[in-house]
Amino acid sequence: TMTKQEAIALFGTKKNPGTPKKMAQALKITTQAISQWPEILTHRLEMQVLGGKEMQRKKKKNGNPGN
């Protein structure tokens, strides 16, 4: 089980904490959509977050840090 705050934190670094805006950009959704998420994510939302994080990781690995 993942909380909304844990999900947001995944999209940050030690120096720059995750924000709803960073997560929204990575997931290609709006911050308004994230604001409507429950505090404890459903399985579907958790998989969406983890999939978005994996795509972000692959882009950075391939030298494309953009969205």
Side-chain angles (χ1 to χ4, degrees):
T1 311
M2 182 183 293
T3 67
K4 189 187 319 188
Q5 284 305 109
E6 289 169 334
I8 291 168
L10 285 175
F11 294 90
T13 64
K14 289 181 181 179
K15 293 182 180 181
N16 297 307
T19 64
K21 182 177 179 179
K22 289 179 186 177
M23 184 166 80
Q25 289 172 336
L27 300 179
K28 297 183 178 10
I29 62 175
T30 65
T31 55
Q32 290 84 0
I34 293 170
S35 72
Q36 294 177 16
W37 287 7
E39 288 305 313
I40 303 296
L41 301 187
T42 63
H43 181 72
R44 181 187 64 79
L45 290 173
E46 188 173 342
M47 292 299 105
Q48 183 178 354
V49 167
L50 294 175
K53 182 60 181 173
E54 180 64 13
M55 291 298 293
Q56 184 182 56
R57 186 191 66 78
K58 286 181 179 182
K59 284 181 181 180
K60 286 183 180 178
K61 182 179 177 184
N62 292 331
N64 182 6
N67 295 327

